[in-house]
Amino acid sequence: MTTERDIMEYDAVIVGGGPAGLAAAIRIKQLAQERNTSISVCVLEKAAEIGAHTLSGAVIDPRALNELLPQFIDAPIGTAVTHDEFLFLNATRAFPIPNFLLPPDLQNHGNRIVRLGFLVKQLGEIAETLGVEIFPGFAAQQVLYDHNHTVIGVITGDMGRQRDDSEGPQFQPGVEIRGKYTLFAEGCRGHLGRQLEEKFALRPQAQTYALGFKELWRVPKNDVGRVQHSFGWPLSNHDYGGGFAYHLDEGLIAIGYVVGLNYRNPHLSPFEEFQGFKTHPVIGAQLKDGTRLSYGARAIAAGGWQSLPKLIFAGGALIGDDAGFLNAAKIKGTHAAIKSGMLAAEALVKALAAQRQHDELTDYPQAFAQSWLADELKRSRNFKPYMKHGMWQGALLFGVEQLVLRGKAPWTLSLGAADHTRLIPAAQASPISYPKPDGVLSFDRLSSVYLSNTNHEEDQPCHLQLTSMAQHQTINVAQFDAPETRYCPAGVYEMVKDPAVPDSAVDHTDGVSRLQINAQNCIHCKTCDIKDPTQNIRWVTPQGGEGPIYQGM
């Protein structure tokens, strides 16, 4: 039977209340005021409140934000960067890289340290004062098409479904949110963005990703305005990644680590690499006598220029990290997300002024191609391909290209195979032994997830969909030793002993292992959707409002 749904109609529907989505909403309303016209805009946000699912380092380049809201030039947000350093780490020491050897993208003079969740909340308040309707706690679960396969909006997720997908006593069907144009700003590896890429064949080259971790610490003393980036230990030279420590005011330090998801060894645990990073003498000294306040993790779209998809399709467009507008070489994406949202908004308003709807916003990719954002991404396009040669060699090659050729190399290198294809069989990989957490600088997953304030109603359909359990046993377990139990930063995937499954592919003397999915732990990083070797796991939106509740992360 077809579910009867309420219908709400707008000129512009924006899926996602992060920097890109809110920038687009604000820009549409600004242009409407300039033209003395009315444009209805709604923003759907799956988190319980704006900013609750926002996670980033974050040092931001304020250029796009100042273009969108010039008042921030006079009253700048966050903490000014006062001291910028880049380190190479070995197991016991740190070796500073002189600033004159760093490409311009890695220098942070003029940038700001912010708590992005708070900034996003502020953008939401500005959008609402301009007349944008924001609906937090409403997850867009399906793309709405017409008979010509044109996007005409989205359907929000049903509320009150039980674990077997039946309608519970508090069942409420989702709502059809229809728009003349729909902008998708779900962030990295967007649930609907992925579907749109597949349906319309938008992405010619596979995206490549990283997994970023962040903790917020309060310490007795810190160096306000200090920005520190590092690479090297504890990762091997063959793996891409690095750490950061950002010193905010109020005695706060944002500490984090990024691991490229194109790693090959299935025994590697990005979470454990992050815990090890904090025990380095130089890093641990900054956290001495401190208190860990919060924890989170999220995937990062790191492919840049080469992996950008076609941005538009009939009825809508991809913006922000849903498209992959992040400059991995710059270690920044907020400015790119905001700028892409502004460009799409300007194209959308122009189309509405011409009495158009549900067609392709062709002015958006054209404007992007002529923007400073396109120039920035193109200049750093070879960063990730160089890293395939190893961190040291890659950094050297990229540095020479940037310092000598100023990003205008006559070649564009390929990113290579998708991340999920990169694992080698566990039997061919070197085992990795990680130390137990000390409870002072390093911690376990469950105590970390607790600090993310994550919550999911247990009696609902699992939002982590395993297509085939048999495939998991014969490939994930038998060939790769269940890598999802290590790459998940929240302990969602667990192999448990189950003597009741005698035909399992994995036998143990004390029973048989089966996969248990602890979906209530999920912090929505989407790493499983990216790294599963056969793409057997799909992340979809849970009930609206659920997941982590980050406090200014």
Side-chain angles (χ1 to χ4, degrees):
M1 296 178 61
T2 302
T3 302
E4 292 188 11
R5 302 182 186 277
D6 291 336
I7 297 174
M8 301 173 69
E9 297 193 13
Y10 295 88
D11 295 318
V13 175
I14 300 173
V15 181
L22 292 171
I26 290 169
R27 188 64 184 139
I28 291 170
K29 285 295 189 177
Q30 288 174 334
L31 292 170
Q33 287 183 352
E34 292 174 11
R35 295 166 179 256
N36 197 27
T37 188
S38 177
I39 300 176
S40 58
V41 183
C42 89
V43 174
L44 300 174
E45 168 55 41
K46 66 182 176 68
E49 60 182 34
I50 292 293
H53 287 179
T54 300
L55 177 73
S56 182
V59 173
I60 69 167
D61 178 341
R63 180 175 185 177
L65 185 62
N66 291 337
E67 288 180 2
L68 177 68
L69 298 166
Q71 61 262 40
F72 282 127
I73 295 176
D74 298 321
I77 49 89
T79 303
V81 176
T82 59
H83 179 56
D84 189 16
E85 59 186 358
F86 207 97
L87 307 175
F88 168 72
L89 305 182
N90 66 16
T92 58
R93 297 182 60 192
F95 302 89
I97 310 297
N99 274 1
F100 71 86
L101 291 178
L102 294 176
D105 275 351
L106 285 177
Q107 300 184 30
N108 286 286
H109 177 74
N111 293 332
R112 313 288 299 188
I113 311 171
V114 302
R115 297 174 69 177
L116 191 60
F118 288 162
L119 174 59
V120 166
K121 186 176 181 179
Q122 189 174 1
L123 292 177
E125 293 168 353
I126 293 170
E128 288 185 314
T129 63
L130 292 171
V132 177
E133 296 184 37
I134 299 179
F135 300 117
F138 284 84
Q141 196 166 70
Q142 301 177 53
V143 180
L144 190 60
Y145 301 97
D146 68 8
H147 63 283
N148 290 321
H149 301 283
T150 294
V151 174
I152 58 173
V154 295
I155 302 174
T156 64
D158 296 338
M159 301 291 287
R161 285 195 177 275
Q162 297 181 309
R163 184 177 292 272
D164 63 359
D165 206 36
S166 63
E167 298 177 7
Q170 305 299 320
F171 174 76
Q172 292 182 333
V175 179
E176 289 189 10
I177 310 290
R178 299 190 178 193
K180 294 176 181 177
Y181 294 100
T182 306
L183 304 181
F184 293 84
E186 306 162 282
C188 178
R189 194 69 164 196
H191 161 53
L192 300 183
R194 172 176 175 166
Q195 294 178 26
L196 290 163
E197 289 177 10
E198 293 171 352
K199 181 177 180 66
F200 297 113
L202 300 178
R203 195 178 292 279
Q205 186 169 167
Q207 180 63 273
T208 185
Y209 299 88
L211 176 58
F213 296 86
K214 179 183 177 181
E215 291 176 351
L216 198 63
W217 286 64
R218 176 164 280 115
V219 296
K221 184 179 179 181
N222 69 334
D223 186 3
V224 177
R226 179 184 181 187
V227 166
Q228 182 186 84
H229 292 104
S230 60
F231 72 105
W233 189 90
L235 283 175
S236 74
N237 182 54
H238 303 294
D239 297 310
Y240 165 76
F244 64 84
Y246 302 153
H247 292 239
L248 299 98
D249 54 12
E250 300 180 353
L252 297 175
I253 295 180
I255 195 87
Y257 203 72
V258 173
V259 177
L261 289 178
N262 61 350
Y263 67 83
R264 305 193 69 197
N265 188 336
H267 302 300
L268 188 145
S269 168
F271 176 85
E272 302 293 352
E273 299 289 338
F274 172 44
Q275 300 309 308
F277 165 72
K278 290 181 293 176
T279 67
H280 190 279
V282 169
I283 307 304
Q286 299 174 62
L287 304 176
K288 185 178 179 182
D289 299 325
T291 302
R292 189 174 65 143
L293 303 178
S294 53
Y295 163 86
R298 58 161 289 189
I300 301 167
W305 178 263
Q306 289 93 316
S307 65
L308 286 176
K310 181 183 178 184
L311 300 173
I312 55 175
F313 40 85
L318 301 175
I319 62 177
D321 263 4
D322 231 350
F325 284 111
L326 180 138
N327 187 342
K330 198 179 179 82
I331 322 177
K332 293 172 184 62
T334 302
H335 69 298
I338 290 172
K339 184 62 175 180
S340 69
M342 294 172 64
L343 294 171
E346 290 160 4
L348 186 151
V349 171
K350 185 175 180 180
L352 292 177
Q355 304 297 311
R356 291 163 45 200
Q357 60 181 304
H358 299 146
D359 59 2
E360 291 194 353
L361 294 169
T362 52
D363 284 339
Y364 168 36
Q366 291 173 8
F368 164 66
Q370 315 224 345
S371 70
W372 56 259
L373 177 57
D375 180 63
E376 176 186 306
L377 293 177
K378 192 172 183 179
R379 280 190 288 107
S380 62
R381 68 191 181 277
N382 289 325
F383 173 74
K384 278 306 294 286
Y386 280 138
M387 292 302 148
K388 293 188 295 185
H389 299 283
M391 283 295 292
W392 261 114
Q393 299 93 319
L396 178 62
L397 291 169
F398 181 71
V400 169
E401 179 187 295
Q402 295 296 299
L403 294 172
V404 176
L405 300 176
R406 300 295 176 184
K408 296 183 179 180
W411 55 81
T412 298
L413 304 176
S414 172
L415 290 168
D419 293 339
H420 72 273
T421 67
R422 298 282 295 167
L423 290 178
I424 62 175
Q428 300 175 19
S430 300
I432 303 175
S433 177
Y434 293 106
K436 291 183 179 180
D438 59 21
V440 177
L441 294 173
S442 58
F443 303 88
D444 61 27
R445 281 178 172 81
L446 293 184
S447 67
S448 300
V449 173
Y450 176 79
L451 293 179
S452 71
N453 301 303
T454 295
N455 180 65
H456 295 86
E457 184 69 39
E458 291 194 35
D459 190 20
Q460 66 171 298
C462 183
H463 69 279
L464 300 163
Q465 299 178 350
L466 189 68
T467 305
S468 169
M469 180 62 78
Q471 184 170 300
H472 175 268
Q473 291 286 358
T474 57
I475 297 178
N476 287 46
V477 176
Q479 295 185 31
F480 300 109
D481 192 27
E484 63 283 348
T485 63
R486 289 177 290 281
Y487 62 59
C488 175
V492 169
Y493 300 97
E494 184 179 6
M495 296 301 295
V496 298
K497 306 280 190 306
D498 185 3
V501 189
D503 58 345
S504 169
V506 182
D507 294 318
H508 296 275
T509 57
D510 54 349
V512 178
S513 289
R514 65 173 177 83
L515 179 67
Q516 178 172 290
I517 300 178
N518 305 308
Q520 65 274 18
N521 287 2
C522 178
I523 56 176
H524 299 193
C525 74
K526 305 174 189 172
T527 304
C528 54
D529 195 286
I530 295 166
K531 190 62 176 174
D532 183 79
T534 61
Q535 298 293 269
N536 191 29
I537 301 173
R538 288 250 172 166
W539 186 97
V540 301
T541 53
Q543 289 185 152
E546 299 189 348
I549 303 177
Y550 295 133
Q551 300 294 322
M553 287 281 275

